[in-house]
């Protein structure tokens, strides 16, 4: 399992992004109430809009991604960033599975 968290980079959407991330983390808690450790990649959308409407990646990372997980700016209209982010989360999942598969041999 892995998570590709898509956050709207518009400044006016920050509160919703923070709330959605909090909800995600709460829903990922295991049955004992401990957080599950899953590969997590951030995708910051709407980078096809004018820059003055958007938070910078640094600002988004400060609020949403303080642990420095991989992050990507995305413009779905231009097809930028989406495949790179998907590749990053798949790679992270495969790296996490590697040691688990070795233990079962």
């Amino acid at each position: 399992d892995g998570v590709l968290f898509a956050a709207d980079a518009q400044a006016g959407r920050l509160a919703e992004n923070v709330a959605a991330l909090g909800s995600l983390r709460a829903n990922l808690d295991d049955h004992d109430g401990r957080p599950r450790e899953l590969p997590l990649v951030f995708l910051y959308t709407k980078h096809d809009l004018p820059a003055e409407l958007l938070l910078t990646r640094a600002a988004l990372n400060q609020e949403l991604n303080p642990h420095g997980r991989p992050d990507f700016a995305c413009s779905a209209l231009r097809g930028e960033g989406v495949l790179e982010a998907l590749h990053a989360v798949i790679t992270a999942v495969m790296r996490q599975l590697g040691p688990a598969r070795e233990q079962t041999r």
Side-chain angles (χ1 to χ4, degrees):
D1 293 333
V3 175
L4 180 59
F5 185 82
D8 190 322
Q10 293 180 88
R13 299 295 183 154
L14 182 60
E16 288 95 341
N17 290 328
V18 170
L21 186 58
S23 178
L24 172 67
R25 287 192 170 124
N27 286 316
L28 288 177
D29 286 352
D30 67 13
H31 297 291
D32 297 324
R34 294 175 305 211
R36 288 179 55 203
E37 288 297 320
L38 293 176
L40 175 62
V41 173
F42 288 85
L43 179 67
Y44 300 134
T45 66
K46 306 287 177 81
H47 278 267
D48 42 46
L49 295 176
E52 60 269 8
L53 298 177
L54 305 177
L55 293 170
T56 65
R57 281 173 68 184
L60 289 162
N61 280 329
Q62 182 177 348
E63 294 295 326
L64 301 173
N65 184 17
H67 299 295
R69 304 286 178 98
D71 68 275
F72 297 85
C74 163
S75 166
L77 290 177
R78 295 190 299 247
E80 298 169 356
V82 178
L83 291 179
E84 293 85 353
L86 183 58
H87 182 265
V89 77
I90 291 169
T91 299
V93 167
M94 296 306 292
R95 283 190 183 131
Q96 187 177 45
L97 287 176
R101 289 195 328 226
E102 292 298 322
Q103 291 176 1
T104 61
R105 289 186 183 178

